[in-house]
Amino acid sequence: MKIALIAHDRKKDSLVEFAIAYKDILQQHDLFATGTTGQRIQDEVGLTVTRFRSGPLGGDQQIGSMIANNDMDMVFFFRDPLTAQPHEPDVTALVRLCDVYHIPLATNMGTAEILLKGLQEGFVDWRLIQERRNS
């Protein structure tokens, strides 16, 4: 599975903690992340991550492009709902694309844990079906 990892500045610590806790599961998948988030996960967790630009510089849109091309299976986007984001339209577009293309999306640690446990148990194997990948 291809999994995107994104976090607003005030949520990066939480995403790193999450990645440490679930390293054994995450390392079995292809990980993608926006700039600083991806660097922190590589440095602090030791996971291999394909890094895109930072969110405000187009990283959210790069991940959105993968979603639109049916090339992303799951998104963990730890959002900070209490801080205005200068690139909020990009964030909204990314969330919308997840809805349009039926991509599981977690925006907080609680939902992320449930999705990751579901991934571990095979509850999202429907993403692996080739017909689904090409539609």
Side-chain angles (χ1 to χ4, degrees), residues 92-129:
T92 301
L94 183 65
V95 170
R96 183 181 60 79
L97 284 171
C98 287
D99 288 341
V100 168
Y101 291 100
H102 312 291
I103 302 300
L105 167 68
T107 60
N108 60 65
M109 193 176 301
T111 307
E113 184 174 35
I114 291 169
L115 281 183
L116 206 55
K117 291 287 190 170
L119 175 64
Q120 185 180 29
E121 294 298 319
F123 297 154
V124 289
D125 285 351
W126 59 270
R127 285 289 306 157
L128 298 174
I129 300 170

Side-chain angles (χ1 to χ4, degrees), residues 33-132:
T34 50
T36 307
T37 302
Q39 190 65 57
R40 286 199 53 193
I41 291 169
Q42 285 181 155
D43 294 346
E44 298 174 42
V45 185
L47 291 169
T48 301
V49 180
T50 299
R51 292 175 52 226
F52 294 115
R53 298 182 194 281
S54 72
L57 298 178
D60 297 338
Q61 291 179 345
Q62 289 176 294
I63 290 172
S65 175
M66 288 185 73
I67 293 168
N69 286 306
N70 202 26
D71 202 26
M72 185 63 67
D73 298 300
M74 187 173 285
V75 175
F76 296 105
F77 190 164
F78 284 22
R79 298 175 63 194
D80 179 1
L82 302 178
T83 303
Q85 303 297 326
H87 63 295
E88 189 61 35
D90 297 337
V91 172
T92 301
L94 183 65
V95 170
R96 183 181 60 79
L97 284 171
C98 287
D99 288 341
V100 168
Y101 291 100
H102 312 291
I103 302 300
L105 167 68
T107 60
N108 60 65
M109 193 176 301
T111 307
E113 184 174 35
I114 291 169
L115 281 183
L116 206 55
K117 291 287 190 170
L119 175 64
Q120 185 180 29
E121 294 298 319
F123 297 154
V124 289
D125 285 351
W126 59 270
R127 285 289 306 157
L128 298 174
I129 300 170
Q130 190 61 34
E131 294 83 12
R132 179 65 109 170

